[in-house]
Each structure stands twice: as C-alpha cells, then as structure tokens.
Amino acid sequence: MNFDELFGHLGQHTVDGLSKGAIYALVALGYTLVYGVLKLINFAHSEVFMVGTFAVLGTWTALGATSNPSVGMMILFLLAGLVAGAVASGATAVGVELIAYRRLRRMNAPPLIFLITAIGLSLVLSEAFGLWQGRLIKGMPTIVEREVLFTIGNTEITNTQLLTIVSALVMMVLLDVFINRTRYGRGVRAVAQNPDTAALMGVNKDRVILLIFLLGGLLAGAAALLYNVRYGNTRFNVGFLLGLKAFTAAVLGGIGNLRGALLGGLLLGVVEVYAATLTQSNWEDVAAFVVLVVVLLFRPTGLLGESLGRARA
C-alpha cells in the first residue's frame, strides 16, 4: 500500500479521478433516464457510447485532423466531433428504442425479455463494429495537447481535465433544468411517476420514451468526444467495461436520480484513481465494485435515492 504517494499528491489524484468520473457520469445519465421512466436497464447503452467514439474518429479522419492543430482548427475539430458523436449516438439510441423496445412494450413482454434483448443488442452492435472496423485498437490524433493551465499547491490542472469536468457539469445542469423546468421535462416526470395517469392527462408516452432515449444518446455522444480527447483511442468493445462502470455509478448515486448519476460517476472515478495509486496495479476495477457493494449494504437505494418521477421543479 503506497500511502505516501496517495496522500503526498492527494489533490492531483482527486482531480484525475474527477476527470475520469465525469465521463462515467455522462454515460450513467443515459442509464438513469431510461430506468427512471421505464424501470428498464438498457445494457445496449454502452454500445451507444461506442458508436459515438467511432463517429468522432470518422469525422476527424474525414476532416484530415492531425495532432497539435492550431487553436482555430482545434475548436473546429472539437465542435465537429461533438456534433458527429451526439448525432450518431442519439440516432443509435432512438433506433434501439424503435426497433426493439417499442415492439416489446406493445406486446407487454415481461422484464426479463427486455433484459435479454438489451444484452443481445449490445453484443450485436459490438460485434458488428468488430467486423466493420476490425478488432484492434484504433488510435486517433491528439486534438487537444495536454498542457498545465494553473497550479493549486502541488496540484496541476490541465486543459483536458478542465474541459472534461466543466463540460460534464454544464451538460448535467442543462439536463436538470430541462427535466425540472420545461414542459417536456414535466411530461418525462409525469410518465416516470404514473404512465397511465399521464396518458389520461394527454401526455404521449411513446414520445416521452423516445425523448429520453434521445437525450441519453446525445449525452453518450458527448461523453464519447471527451473519452477520445482524454484517451486518444477506441475499439469495438470500448463500451463494455466503461458501460458497466457507468451503470455502477448510476446505482451508486441512486438509479433513476439524475444528480445521483453525476455524484456516483465522480465518486467512482476518484475511488478508482485512489485504488490504483495505493496498490500500483489494476485493482481499480475491483475497488469500484467493492465500494458499490458496501454502499448498497447500508443504503440499498444509493446515495441520493430519489427517483426521477419524484423530482421537483
């Protein structure tokens, strides 16, 4: 156990963890949106994220992106990547809902069928990209060269860390405002609370469900861009472990709770970095799930626990 390294650079490891956890949080929001309304775990959401990473890579390749571009070109590549990732992931999420889940709902399929379908869709999408793009890691140009912006004590804050954390917080705030302050958000909360009563009040349930899949997909696409900026690579199964951790983050914060997904993601990222520093090994994955089990033993509903249907404007 390397406690000297952990406590000697605690601030640095915390910032690293928050940056890592911000990506988990954005993907976790997609899980929690769908569960909050449908009480369904959409395990295909991890591949929605994966599609976004390839869309960003394809866009940068088409634009002829190279490492260390000028500031103007960097902004262009980031915006183009954001649009491409969000559109691709959003379209994939909507397609999953229209092609698979909507038909199952109309057939009143039991929850187990939804779960098996979600896992099957995840495998199909992953293997399809494995056949199309190959099974090796795909590298990409360094669009944002990592630079230290400022230092607090012995903690260095880089541009990529700040971009990731601030972007995740801004998107979380916008989503929270949308759900709690807009007419469409009221429809989402109404269906989450009581779909039958919401239908009697004139809320189109299918449209609301399509909306939450779209929102989750857009956030996954944004997370894909941030992932590509941070790690600089992708592959056909990149969504598997990250999606599992994002789902863990959603459960940790309180599945169905938007703010809980953000809290769970950030906390999970910090725990992983702390664990990796302490053990100087790959025990970070084990530590993440140990923390989840411990929290759920004492608080089964997660840290915040409030469901989407009980959110208040």
Side-chain angles (χ1 to χ4, degrees):
M1 291 291 182
N2 194 350
F3 289 101
D4 290 338
E5 171 63 23
L6 176 62
F7 291 109
H9 301 87
L10 187 63
Q12 191 66 63
H13 297 313
T14 301
V15 173
D16 290 342
L18 291 175
S19 176
K20 187 176 187 179
I23 298 174
Y24 294 159
L26 286 177
V27 181
L29 288 169
Y31 285 105
T32 210
L33 277 169
V34 172
Y35 183 85
V37 173
L38 290 177
K39 300 300 181 285
L40 162 70
I41 305 300
N42 178 25
F43 282 116
H45 189 62
S46 56
E47 271 48 63
V48 170
F49 164 80
M50 178 271 296
V51 170
T53 64
F54 277 100
V56 173
L57 174 59
T59 300
W60 286 350
T61 302
L63 293 176
T66 57
S67 296
N68 307 322
S70 63
V71 174
M73 294 304 294
M74 178 186 70
I75 295 174
L76 173 63
F77 293 147
L78 288 177
L79 291 177
L82 176 62
V83 171
V87 170
S89 292
T92 303
V94 168
V96 166
E97 149 62 10
L98 292 176
I99 295 172
Y101 296 148
R102 179 167 294 189
R103 179 171 177 80
L104 290 176
R105 288 202 315 276
R106 290 177 176 173
M107 295 171 62
N108 292 319
L112 182 60
I113 300 300
F114 280 95
L115 180 63
I116 294 172
T117 301
I119 295 173
L121 283 170
S122 176
L123 292 173
V124 167
L125 286 171
S126 177
E127 292 301 319
F129 269 78
L131 290 173
W132 179 32
Q133 294 291 332
R135 308 180 78 85
L136 300 177
I137 294 176
K138 297 280 188 179
M140 56 190 70
T142 304
I143 300 300
V144 181
E145 182 68 23
R146 185 169 299 181
E147 297 178 356
V148 177
L149 294 180
F150 54 90
T151 302
I152 303 175
N154 63 348
T155 301
E156 296 179 342
I157 311 297
T158 67
N159 52 355
T160 54
Q161 290 171 337
L162 193 63
L163 173 66
T164 303
I165 296 171
V166 171
S167 297
L169 291 175
V170 168
M171 283 183 272
M172 171 61 216
V173 169
L174 291 176
L175 178 64
D176 193 71
V177 170
F178 179 82
I179 294 296
N180 288 315
R181 303 289 181 183
T182 68
R183 178 185 172 210
Y184 291 108
R186 286 195 296 272
V188 170
R189 287 185 284 121
V191 174
Q193 190 171 36
N194 192 317
D196 294 330
T197 302
L200 291 175
M201 298 298 291
V203 178
N204 189 318
K205 179 181 176 181
D206 286 337
R207 189 175 299 171
V208 166
I209 293 172
L210 197 65
L211 174 62
I212 62 167
F213 272 90
L214 176 61
L215 289 173
L218 294 176
L219 292 168
L225 171 68
L226 297 176
Y227 180 91
N228 286 2
V229 168
R230 177 181 171 90
Y231 295 102
N233 62 72
T234 186
R235 63 181 303 182
F236 76 101
N237 62 352
V238 69
F240 174 73
L241 185 58
L242 189 142
L244 191 60
K245 290 181 180 179
F247 172 65
T248 301
V251 175
L252 181 63
I255 188 75
N257 186 308
L258 298 180
R259 296 170 188 176
L262 177 66
L263 175 63
L266 296 177
L267 180 61
L268 195 66
V270 171
V271 167
E272 285 192 358
V273 172
Y274 284 179
T277 304
L278 275 175
T279 61
Q280 295 184 331
S281 66
N282 293 323
W283 277 76
E284 58 183 54
D285 297 336
V286 176
F289 295 110
V290 168
V291 169
L292 173 67
V293 170
V294 171
V295 170
L296 293 183
L297 283 175
F298 295 97
R299 191 168 176 81
T301 57
L303 295 174
L304 300 186
E306 183 184 4
S307 71
L308 184 64
R310 291 194 295 271
R312 288 290 180 264

